[in-house]
Amino acid sequence: MTTRTIVIVNSTGRQAASLVRVASAVGYRVRAQLRKREGIVAEELEALPNVTIFEGSLEDKELIQNLFKRAHLAFINTTSWGDEVAIGKALANAAKKAGVQHYIYSSMPDHGSFGKGWPSLPQWSSKFTVENYIRQIGLPATFVYAGIYNNNFTSLPYPLFCMELKPNGSFEWKAPFHPDIPLPWLDAEHDVGPAVLQIIKDGPRKWSGQRVALAFEMLTPREVCAKFSAALRRRVRYIQGPVEIRVAIPSGYREQLDGIEVLFGKYHAPYFGPDLRAPDEALALWEGFRGIEEYAREVFPVEEAANGRTWMN
């Protein structure tokens, strides 16, 4: 049992909620920030032991100051709500002022910084900018890089990870990724919490300044479809092709999708950049991961049912 306090922001997100659950269960005092007390996940987190909810915007300076006061640890995954760079810097400054002992930031690479002619992805480069700022101010920090969420797949017509249900009962995934180049995969809800908790236990003496690839499987798109097929007992086919946008998407996301199409479809760039490898480091942190076949068999149909789909009946 620990008496240390950990700050977790955007707590209803998949990464953050995973850590809130695990940290609460082992006795950390959790300060969980969320924008609004709305939805099933917010209700679940508020009911957990050792969890104090901080409701409000991360643009609220007073909220940030109170969030970090006398805290020991932090897990920060910023999002595109508001100015992500400004919010990321403000959080780091507050943590530094409060004397946070270990700051774990969910970052991503800026492929444009590698000098290979690759484009920068706007939603990733902002995180990388914040990572560099955290390093500059001397905050004892570790940077986790999340793989592609297993939970991104849906038969709803969302771009990039639509597992489209065909009239014959099969599924088809169409995306710009090369069919035979491995990609990193992560069940964020199941595995981020235990992996980050192990980083916390090891402490900054081992992990300060390090980047950690949080991905437990490296699978090509064809291999992913084979695992979905084995799990669902249906034909699942992969087709490499341009991103299709058939629904309204958030402002700025089109630029992200266009960049993904070029970065991975044209240049076949490594997902985490040239220097970071998966999955060995993640597996050393947490061996009990949920692979994509188990996800497809046990979780995908449940999430589909929650979205009103009936193909599994």
Side-chain angles (χ1 to χ4, degrees):
M1 178 71 71
T2 181
T3 58
R4 293 201 291 174
T5 298
I6 181 169
V7 170
I8 302 175
V9 303
N10 296 314
S11 293
T12 55
R14 293 191 188 273
Q15 291 187 47
S18 179
L19 181 58
V20 172
R21 296 181 185 109
V22 173
S24 164
V26 298
Y28 284 85
R29 293 191 299 247
V30 180
R31 295 178 185 168
Q33 177 274 337
L34 44 79
R35 293 180 67 249
K36 293 182 180 179
R37 281 182 165 90
E38 294 179 353
I40 295 173
V41 178
E43 292 175 3
E44 175 204 350
L45 299 184
E46 190 163 17
L48 292 176
N50 310 311
V51 174
T52 302
I53 299 296
F54 283 69
E55 182 180 9
S57 169
L58 290 176
E59 294 175 313
D60 183 335
K61 294 180 180 179
E62 185 177 355
L63 180 140
I64 291 177
Q65 182 179 352
N66 292 332
L67 193 61
F68 283 102
K69 190 179 297 181
R70 291 187 293 278
H72 306 93
L73 308 159
F75 176 73
I76 306 298
N77 182 24
T78 53
T79 70
S80 54
W81 283 101
D83 185 332
E84 186 168 4
V85 172
I87 289 171
K89 289 181 176 181
L91 290 168
N93 288 336
K96 174 79 170 178
K97 183 178 180 181
V100 166
Q101 299 161 6
H102 196 182
Y103 192 87
I104 300 170
Y105 180 71
S106 185
S107 188
M108 286 304 281
D110 179 1
H111 283 79
S113 69
F114 294 115
K116 296 181 179 292
W118 297 333
S120 296
L121 300 182
Q123 292 186 0
W124 291 10
S125 60
S126 58
K127 286 183 173 290
F128 192 71
T129 298
V130 174
E131 175 185 333
N132 285 333
Y133 180 77
I134 293 167
R135 292 179 183 277
Q136 289 167 12
I137 66 172
L139 195 55
T142 304
F143 306 94
V144 294
Y145 283 47
I148 302 170
Y149 294 3
N150 298 351
N151 320 71
N152 283 345
F153 284 108
T154 176
S155 66
L156 296 172
Y158 296 140
L160 205 56
F161 294 101
C162 174
M163 193 66 78
E164 183 177 2
L165 181 64
K166 309 303 285 188
N168 65 1
S170 67
F171 284 100
E172 183 179 282
W173 175 30
K174 184 177 181 181
F177 307 111
H178 190 284
D180 298 312
I181 293 178
L183 297 166
W185 297 93
L186 167 71
D187 195 303
E189 284 193 358
H190 189 270
D191 298 321
V192 168
V196 171
L197 185 64
Q198 187 59 53
I199 292 173
I200 290 169
K201 289 179 177 178
D202 290 341
R205 181 171 297 180
K206 179 174 181 178
W207 292 110
S208 185
Q210 300 298 309
R211 296 186 177 113
V212 181
L214 280 189
F216 292 85
E217 293 181 297
M218 292 294 295
L219 299 170
T220 69
R222 282 198 175 113
E223 290 171 332
V224 168
C225 287
K227 288 186 178 293
F228 261 83
S229 181
L232 301 178
R233 299 183 181 180
R234 294 167 180 252
R235 185 183 181 208
V236 181
R237 183 170 70 134
Y238 180 71
I239 298 176
Q240 184 179 13
V243 175
E244 295 181 350
I245 299 177
R246 291 178 281 171
V247 295
I249 58 176
S251 175
Y253 190 43
R254 180 61 200 244
E255 291 77 11
Q256 179 80 2
L257 293 172
D258 289 344
I260 286 172
E261 193 168 309
V262 173
L263 183 64
F264 301 116
K266 177 181 177 181
Y267 290 111
H268 306 150
Y271 194 83
F272 293 128
D275 303 321
L276 205 56
R277 296 287 181 267
D280 291 351
E281 205 158 45
L283 290 171
L285 291 167
W286 167 240
E287 294 181 346
F289 71 96
R290 182 161 62 197
I292 206 158
E293 185 171 338
E294 182 183 352
Y295 164 78
R297 183 178 61 251
E298 304 294 338
V299 181
F300 182 66
V302 175
E303 293 185 336
E304 287 283 281
N307 287 327
R309 314 307 264 184
T310 58
W311 57 263
M312 69 293 293
N313 296 337

